[in-house]
Amino acid sequence: MAAKKMTMTTKILIWMGAGLVLGSLLNAFASDVDFVNDYLVMGLFHVVGTMFITALKMLVVPLVTFSLICGVCGIGDINKLGRVGLKSFLLFMLTTALAITLAITVATIVGPGQGFELAEASKGNFTAPEAPPLTKVIIDLIPSNPVAAYANGNMLQIIFFTILFSVCILMIGERGKPISAAAERLNEVMMQVVTVVMHIAPYGVFALMVKTFALQGVGLILPMISYFSVVAVVLILHATGTLMILLKVLGRVSPMVFLKKMRAVQIFAFSTSSSNATIPVTLRTAEKRLGVENSTASFVVPFGATINMDGTAIMQGVATVFIANVYGIELGITGYLTVIGMAVLASIGTAGVPGVGLIMLAMVFNQVGLPVEGIALIMGVDRLLDMMRTAVNVTGDAAVTTIVARSEDSISMETFNDPNAGNVEEVHLPHGEKKTVS
Ligand code: ASP
């Protein structure tokens, strides 16, 4: 009976650790065994891991849509909606700018890449993928065909259309009520689907970890240790320092309680490397565990997953200094200021999906005249850093959501301070007898 007390987060954490160990062992001792590669790593673990990420992605569009309709109809006041939008946008920009400034400062002091063998760099064959220009990003906010926006999961277009649609539900008054009531129920159902999917998370996370570490091997980090550790240290400083100070000062809430409740979200982000795929868990945590009202969370969370990337900006800041050092290029203060501006803008134009940070980095390098092929150098360790920075990205999303909610008085501090609020406990799915799992 007592074993049932283990929370889902603890269980996921244990499975994640087990996956990491097993994956590293397979990499070290069985990387040339065909059976292991074909049937386990690229077979079983690949299938289970991909099914898990797909199950999460499956929830994103319907959850954001229903939740946002409820949120806008719940606010009922268009001015407030504008205020929440503006506040969150400014805070997202601020946290990203702080993140990259911290990254550039620390990297300049530590100086990773000095004395690096340039011969290595010339082996690189990175070709920069096309990054969208800012004008296109702005024009593309409006979907020419909402169905296509939904089908492609284009988050900014979905947010734009859903808000417009929901405001119009409000505008038609009484006759719109059944629609918002239906959206409320559908949202409840989707939240329950999230809870159900969270029950398979330990195994999904385990499979993803085994696959990643079996393929990657931690040994890859060694030649890049200076770059890797500066990024890792700044990521930790930002997540446990900058963001927590902002939470304390602007949000007047306890950073410790926040961090504790964010653990599951960070693990999901870490193992999926995607802020977007993590939206269902971030949203659930913001509402049920941190006590943020749906009216604020439904908008700020998906918005943040798309435009806010603190961790990615940190990687870009350190990578810029690293590559400049490797190639012996002086960027100077204007160069670095351009990098900060570009990184903030680039984060708006690119979605929170795995590996997108490198595309943004190519944009930044082009702008300041650093050799784009230098990116090939850091690609080897990017998979692992992607996991870490995505965990920081989602921490930033939830921190800003909490701060905005606090300023709008749309957060229940009772829920926030209750350590057990919204815990997913280990329970069996209903089998005739009902049991609440959220
Ligand atoms: N994977 C990151 C995210 O989804 C983006 C990146 O840095 O590549 O937030």
Side-chain angles (χ1 to χ4, degrees), residues 266-397:
Q266 291 166 335
I267 297 172
F268 272 75
F270 184 83
S271 50
T272 60
S273 293
S274 168
S275 310
N276 263 14
T278 311
I279 289 176
V281 190
T282 320
L283 203 50
R284 186 188 180 284
T285 303
E287 290 184 19
K288 304 220 185 277
R289 302 220 62 207
L290 298 171
V292 177
E293 278 174 19
N294 166 262
S295 56
T296 304
S298 66
F299 169 66
V300 187
V301 167
F303 191 39
T306 317
I307 73 157
N308 181 52
M309 293 184 198
D310 298 356
T312 306
I314 288 171
M315 175 279 281
Q316 294 176 337
V318 180
T320 308
V321 178
F322 176 75
I323 299 294
N325 282 343
V326 169
Y327 284 86
I329 296 170
E330 265 302 323
L331 280 181
I333 192 85
T334 8
Y336 283 120
L337 285 177
T338 315
V339 172
I340 295 175
M342 276 304 294
V344 174
L345 290 179
S347 68
I348 306 176
T350 38
V353 292
V356 82
L358 284 189
I359 302 179
M360 290 159 60
L361 189 60
M363 271 167 91
V364 174
F365 277 18
N366 270 331
Q367 191 69 28
V368 290
L370 280 180
V372 174
E373 60 284 1
I375 294 179
L377 264 186
I378 53 172
M379 265 167 82
V381 288
D382 199 65
R383 181 72 193 82
L384 292 181
L385 285 178
D386 195 3
M387 300 167 92
M388 295 168 62
R389 66 180 182 248
T390 309
V392 175
N393 289 347
V394 295
T395 309
D397 300 343

Side-chain angles (χ1 to χ4, degrees), residues 43-54 200 203-208:
L44 179 71
F45 297 124
H46 170 69
V47 171
V48 175
T50 311
M51 283 174 77
F52 168 60
I53 296 198
T54 313
I200 60 152
Y203 320 109
V205 168
F206 173 74
L208 285 175

Side-chain angles (χ1 to χ4, degrees), residues 208-248:
L208 285 175
M209 284 289 146
V210 178
K211 183 187 158 193
T212 308
F213 283 88
L215 292 178
Q216 287 282 313
V218 201
L220 265 183
I221 298 171
L222 285 178
M224 299 293 292
I225 194 81
S226 63
Y227 165 72
F228 190 92
S229 28
V230 175
V231 178
V233 166
V234 181
L235 285 175
I236 294 170
L237 280 179
H238 184 73
T240 58
T242 316
L243 287 177
M244 296 309 113
I245 294 171
L246 290 178
L247 262 180
K248 184 87 202 147

Side-chain angles (χ1 to χ4, degrees), residues 393-413:
N393 289 347
V394 295
T395 309
D397 300 343
V400 168
T401 307
T402 309
I403 295 172
V404 172
R406 192 80 166 119
S407 76
E408 289 290 326
D409 209 8
S410 63
I411 180 169
S412 152
M413 287 314 289

